[in-house]
Amino acid sequence: MSEATIALKAQQVSEVADKFKSAASAVVVDVRGLTVEQANNLRSELRSEGVELKVIKNKILTRAVEAADLTDLMNDLFVGPSAVAFSNEDAIAPSRILKKFADNIEALEIKGGVVDGQVASVEDINKYAALPDRDGLLSMLLSTLQAPVRNFAYAVKAVSDAKEEAAEA
């Protein structure tokens, strides 16, 4: 290999390692067998959630996870063609979208990944996919925070109604 090629590959490894280090989550999938239309739909939906899907050579992935200190746990995932969905914002978005596509399209296989710096198995990815999105979690939190106030208001109203009934009788 020429020095230019080696330098180019070293740069690619560095970029991918940086993506692994900075990503909120990275999910590795096998996209073999997807039609062009299915792949475009998948990329479009991922892009709408701020997720980037990249097909990367396994040798570059192997060296990148070594640089990102994820070697022992991630190298088993890089067998066959691999694509990685990187998300810097929402750690759950890649899991949710890829799980939905994998349920509908048998050709898409989730291999595993990294979520918040922790290596995640396929089972973990599926658990994360079952979680609601950020807006859903925020609405659940707000509902939980409002419950005591709402219950107090109902109690005050019940006491008020009871006093009104007692006054009428």
Side-chain angles (χ1 to χ4, degrees), residues 12-94:
Q12 290 174 340
V13 168
S14 175
E15 289 172 3
V16 174
D18 289 342
K19 284 185 180 280
F20 272 110
K21 289 176 185 176
S22 66
S25 68
V27 179
V28 181
V29 293
D30 182 351
V31 292
R32 245 184 317 202
L34 288 181
T35 65
V36 172
E37 181 182 357
Q38 291 170 334
N40 287 339
N41 290 340
L42 176 60
R43 285 180 188 273
S44 174
E45 189 160 342
L46 287 168
R47 206 174 306 115
S48 72
E49 294 282 334
V51 179
E52 177 185 17
L53 182 70
K54 296 190 83 55
V55 177
I56 305 169
K57 291 183 176 186
N58 289 337
K59 195 65 171 175
I60 290 175
L61 285 172
T62 301
R63 291 185 176 157
V65 295
E66 285 175 8
D69 294 329
L70 300 168
T71 307
D72 299 337
L73 306 166
M74 294 284 292
N75 280 340
D76 297 339
L77 303 179
F78 307 134
V79 177
S82 298
V84 184
F86 294 102
S87 175
N88 292 331
E89 299 163 13
D90 186 359
I92 304 301

Side-chain angles (χ1 to χ4, degrees), residues 85-139:
F86 294 102
S87 175
N88 292 331
E89 299 163 13
D90 186 359
I92 304 301
S95 302
R96 187 173 17 87
I97 295 168
L98 291 169
K99 171 76 168 111
K100 184 177 84 173
F101 264 83
D103 288 345
N104 296 329
I105 301 170
E106 291 182 19
L108 183 69
E109 176 192 347
I110 299 173
K111 296 180 178 182
V114 178
V115 178
D116 283 333
Q118 301 296 317
V119 175
S121 65
V122 176
E123 294 80 24
D124 295 334
I125 300 291
N126 290 335
K127 287 178 189 175
Y128 292 134
L131 293 173
D133 63 354
R134 184 177 188 275
D135 292 337
L137 288 172
L138 286 175
S139 69

